[in-house]
Amino acid sequence: MEEIQKSLLTKSKKARLEQIGKAISMLCIIFIVAVVAAIFYFVMSKGLATFFKDGVNVFDFLFGTDWAPGTVGDDGKPLVGALPMLVGSFLVTLLSAIVATPFAIGAAVFMTEISPNLGKKVLQPVIELLVGIPSVVYGFIGLTIVVPAVRNVFGGSGFGILAGTFVLFVMILPTVTSMTVDSLNAVPRHYREASLALGATRWQTTYKVVLRAAIPGILTAVVFGMARAFGEALAIQMVIGNAAILPENLTTPASTLTSILTMGIGNTIMGTLENNVLWSLALLLLLMSLFFNIIIRMIGKKGEFK
Amino acid sequence: MKKILQLALVLSGLLFLAGCKIDKGESITVVGSSAMQPLAEAAGNEFSSKNLGKFVNVQGGGSGTGLSQVQAGAVDIGNSDLFAEEKSGIDASALVSFKVAVVGITPIVNQEVGVKDISMDHLRAIFTGELTNWKEIGGKDLPIVIINRATGSGTRATFERWVMNGEKTKKAQEQDSTGMVRQIVSTTPGAISYLAFSYVTDEVQELSIDGIAPKDENVITNKWPIWSYEHMYTKGEPTGLTKEYIDFVLSDEMQNGMIPKLGYIPVTQMEVERDANGEIVQ
């Protein structure tokens, strides 16, 4: 009797193991959260120092068009207007997403609705291959092929938003395509069956049912692509020209947040305004990626198949 | 479960060990100017092969990184193209400078522009944006495309200091690295930029200024004014391995052998000396 009571009251070996496992996973989660918090704290403290320590006006920073940290303007304030980079970043991101989306949807429809066999055997691996190519390779191809092509066709020096758009288009295409494929595949089979049973043709089914049902997933895919385009640094830096001036058109040199950031960080001294203002750019990037994440979550929640 | 735990233990053990110094040798870290990186690396390898068990880790990162890291005490030597006095945020009095070499910088243009010699005034006018077409100074009818190095780069600072004479440069394309600049100038019609002598190849056309060719012998006498020292900075007087390494870089063997071979000018050959304000001192 007593033995039974004892064995019931003490923890079994398995229960103990389970607790250890739980503790380990909790520790891992706490660690990850701490790392994220630390990154946020670090970038924030550095990035906000521009405004609190060096006394730069936030609006001057966000909407100023003169970027020459280290020099002061006629009014005695440092020239740290980030608008040219913001415009550059948003333009290449939006344009590349606009160009990539139709291609991605077309490829995805082909792979899921028209020829699933060919899609799985040939296209899927090809697209996955594209993801694995390092961005410096894309940048180099952009520099040696896209830039001269843009120069010959559209004029200018070839460096600029347009060349950047073409390079980013190829870089985000695999991401957008494979996520669109996933979202099309997630449309329940009985939607298609019901549509076909009602007498709709295959094209009508694809266009009016499958694509409509997958819209939230496709939007998520596009936003993911945009997030990647926004954060891309190396390839875009090689083709955009990196001139911190507001672009007059798509073929004049421009710059992005990332390109100015990566070019400048090695040449500035920690703690100076030149350095802090680069961290402010980093903070903007961080906030933007947070923003993209929130959008993705919102779209995802709205579009769940229940 | 047990296996996973064992694996985790082994892994964490490895992490722990990696944090310790397992090798018995000594080592120092050298960080900074990418223009100096080949020199510092070659000297480091040579030094290690002569002194077994003593290692020199060399990293790039830019002159600013070199100066700030050595000031913070994070590395043993900071490499810089600039005098510490020229960089804001650096307390030059805490650092000790060793001038190990000199590097000349020359304007380069695309092969097609049809200009081989340029006056200093014209060169300045190009970079302020006054001249916009090569035909204005006797070249082909091609728009001028300026390619700058990144703001804060040592090469750019040197070029602007000796060419621009205090005038503001026009905002233009910027590129991060010397190699990229050369690549872009060689393929972009009408492009102009500047490079250290050691990086110039047949792909691009160097310009002589007012009839003076960008040659080492003209730098030595300061007839070619666009040059800078390559500095190694230490925090306080160097000791131990740091001192041995710097002495080695300054030794006759390095100065007369490897440094000219790598395309730098040995500091011992200079007939003039320049201070941080750009004044010639004898």
Side-chain angles (χ1 to χ4, degrees):
Chain A
M1 191 64 203
E2 213 154 80
E3 241 172 55
I4 294 171
Q5 192 182 17
K6 204 180 155 200
S7 76
L8 280 174
L9 285 176
T10 53
K11 275 184 189 147
S12 73
K13 208 177 158 197
K14 284 199 173 131
R16 254 208 314 279
L17 261 181
E18 202 160 291
Q19 263 184 336
I20 294 172
K22 200 177 161 192
I24 291 177
S25 15
M26 270 305 273
L27 273 179
C28 292
I29 289 176
I30 291 170
F31 180 71
I32 291 169
V33 171
V35 167
V36 172
I39 290 173
F40 258 86
Y41 172 75
F42 186 71
V43 177
M44 284 262 200
S45 64
K46 286 266 179 194
L48 292 178
T50 313
F51 310 115
F52 294 121
K53 215 180 100 230
D54 301 314
V56 173
N57 188 312
V58 181
F59 292 99
D60 286 350
F61 172 69
L62 285 179
F63 302 109
T65 53
D66 260 332
W67 175 264
T71 54
V72 290
D74 299 331
D75 55 355
K77 284 182 184 166
L79 295 172
V80 288
L83 193 64
M85 284 80 102
L86 276 171
V87 170
S89 273
F90 276 102
L91 270 181
V92 287
T93 304
L94 284 174
L95 287 176
S96 56
I98 288 172
V99 181
T101 307
F103 283 91
I105 293 178
V109 166
F110 182 82
M111 285 161 68
T112 56
E113 309 298 317
I114 297 171
S115 179
N117 261 335
L118 192 64
K120 270 213 186 78
K121 273 191 200 132
V122 182
L123 290 174
Q124 190 90 32
V126 168
I127 283 170
E128 273 156 20
L129 200 73
L130 282 179
V131 182
I133 297 177
S135 35
V136 63
V137 175
Y138 283 110
F140 196 69
I141 293 172
L143 185 63
T144 50
I145 294 169
V146 177
V147 169
V150 169
R151 178 166 60 228
N152 292 332
V153 179
F154 299 98
S157 69
F159 293 92
I161 304 266
L162 196 62
T165 303
F166 285 138
V167 169
L168 281 182
F169 153 66
V170 182
M171 291 185 76
I172 67 172
L173 192 62
T175 316
V176 185
T177 308
S178 55
M179 286 186 64
T180 307
V181 167
D182 290 343
S183 72
L184 290 185
N185 277 334
V187 175
R189 239 173 79 104
H190 57 255
Y191 280 33
R192 295 184 180 86
E193 283 163 359
S195 166
L196 291 171
L198 285 170
T201 62
R202 190 151 85 161
W203 168 243
Q204 284 169 331
T205 307
T206 304
Y207 183 63
K208 302 224 155 149
V209 177
V210 180
L211 278 179
R212 296 290 154 89
I215 277 181
I218 296 172
L219 282 179
T220 314
V222 173
V223 177
F224 252 104
M226 285 169 72
R228 177 157 191 217
F230 202 81
E232 173 53 43
L234 197 55
I236 197 84
Q237 190 189 320
M238 290 167 86
V239 299
I240 200 162
N242 310 314
I245 34 183
L246 277 176
E248 292 158 30
N249 57 50
L250 296 183
T251 53
T252 53
S255 54
T256 62
L257 291 170
T258 46
S259 75
I260 295 295
L261 189 56
T262 48
M263 283 207 317
I265 206 89
N267 291 313
T268 53
I269 311 287
M270 278 275 194
T272 57
L273 172 74
E274 291 100 304
N275 189 262
N276 286 339
V277 80
L278 290 176
W279 284 102
S280 306
L281 295 185
L283 182 61
L284 275 181
L285 274 170
L286 192 65
L287 292 178
M288 276 310 295
S289 74
L290 199 68
F291 173 73
F292 282 125
N293 266 306
I294 291 170
I295 289 191
I296 288 165
R297 300 204 123 231
M298 272 164 45
I299 297 172
K301 252 196 202 123
K302 228 179 159 185
E304 273 169 89
F305 291 110
K306 282 160 201 148
Chain B
M1 188 67 204
K2 242 185 188 163
K3 267 188 186 158
I4 294 174
L5 271 179
Q6 274 171 352
L7 191 71
L9 266 177
V10 170
L11 279 179
S12 55
L14 276 178
L15 271 177
F16 181 72
L17 276 180
C20 307
K21 279 200 173 152
I22 358 177
D23 60 81
K24 291 233 174 66
E26 305 169 75
S27 72
I28 55 169
T29 309
V30 182
V31 166
S33 160
S34 45
M36 264 181 88
Q37 207 176 340
L39 193 164
E41 265 168 10
N45 289 339
E46 195 73 16
F47 181 75
S48 298
S49 66
K50 293 216 157 83
N51 303 279
L52 292 178
K54 296 178 177 177
F55 299 102
V56 182
N57 305 314
V58 180
Q59 287 163 29
S63 300
T65 308
L67 286 171
S68 66
Q69 294 290 309
V70 74
Q71 171 163 281
V75 298
D76 303 281
I77 297 176
N79 290 342
S80 170
D81 301 353
L82 302 172
F83 281 92
E85 288 87 347
E86 294 179 73
K87 201 93 190 167
S88 67
I90 293 293
D91 176 19
S93 60
L95 301 176
V96 182
S97 158
F98 295 89
K99 296 169 188 161
V100 298
V102 166
V103 67
I105 292 159
T106 174
I108 52 158
V109 292
N110 185 269
Q111 294 279 18
E112 306 295 314
V113 302
V115 173
K116 289 190 174 158
D117 184 87
I118 195 171
S119 74
M120 193 58 116
D121 292 332
H122 282 156
L123 188 60
R124 193 176 305 128
I126 284 176
F127 278 90
T128 54
E130 268 171 69
L131 292 176
T132 54
N133 197 306
W134 286 108
K135 72 177 176 198
E136 293 171 63
I137 50 169
K140 286 193 188 153
D141 183 9
L142 263 177
I144 296 176
V145 177
I146 302 172
I147 291 151
N148 265 325
R149 290 289 305 279
T151 321
S153 126
T155 308
R156 177 168 174 179
T158 306
F159 184 82
E160 288 188 350
R161 171 150 201 190
W162 298 105
V163 173
M164 299 314 290
N165 221 352
E167 281 185 62
K168 256 185 152 179
T169 49
K170 185 190 169 195
K171 284 227 175 102
Q173 276 204 55
E174 290 181 8
Q175 288 301 335
D176 193 20
S177 73
T178 308
M180 280 286 285
V181 164
R182 187 175 60 199
Q183 158 85 14
I184 289 172
V185 170
S186 70
T187 55
T188 308
I192 180 167
S193 188
Y194 35 85
L195 274 189
F197 287 1
S198 47
Y199 282 97
V200 175
T201 61
D202 291 343
E203 296 168 89
V204 291
Q205 169 76 50
E206 34 180 36
L207 293 180
S208 41
I209 299 176
D210 295 323
I212 295 165
K215 295 269 181 263
D216 287 358
E217 53 262 35
N218 291 331
V219 171
I220 290 170
T221 56
N222 201 37
K223 266 166 88 183
W224 181 269
I226 317 169
W227 56 270
S228 68
Y229 287 111
E230 302 285 14
H231 304 259
M232 286 187 169
Y233 277 100
T234 57
K235 192 178 185 181
E237 285 296 333
T239 52
L241 187 55
T242 311
K243 185 170 169 19
E244 281 176 51
Y245 172 70
I246 290 179
D247 284 345
F248 176 72
V249 176
L250 291 172
S251 68
D252 286 346
E253 181 195 348
M254 277 296 291
Q255 290 285 326
N256 299 328
M258 198 171 270
I259 285 180
K261 215 185 281 171
L262 288 167
Y264 304 87
I265 303 163
V267 75
T268 47
Q269 275 187 18
M270 292 299 288
E271 289 169 16
V272 293
E273 211 183 320
R274 215 151 63 179
D275 65 12
N277 300 318
E279 309 279 340
I280 300 290
V281 288
Q282 291 304 322

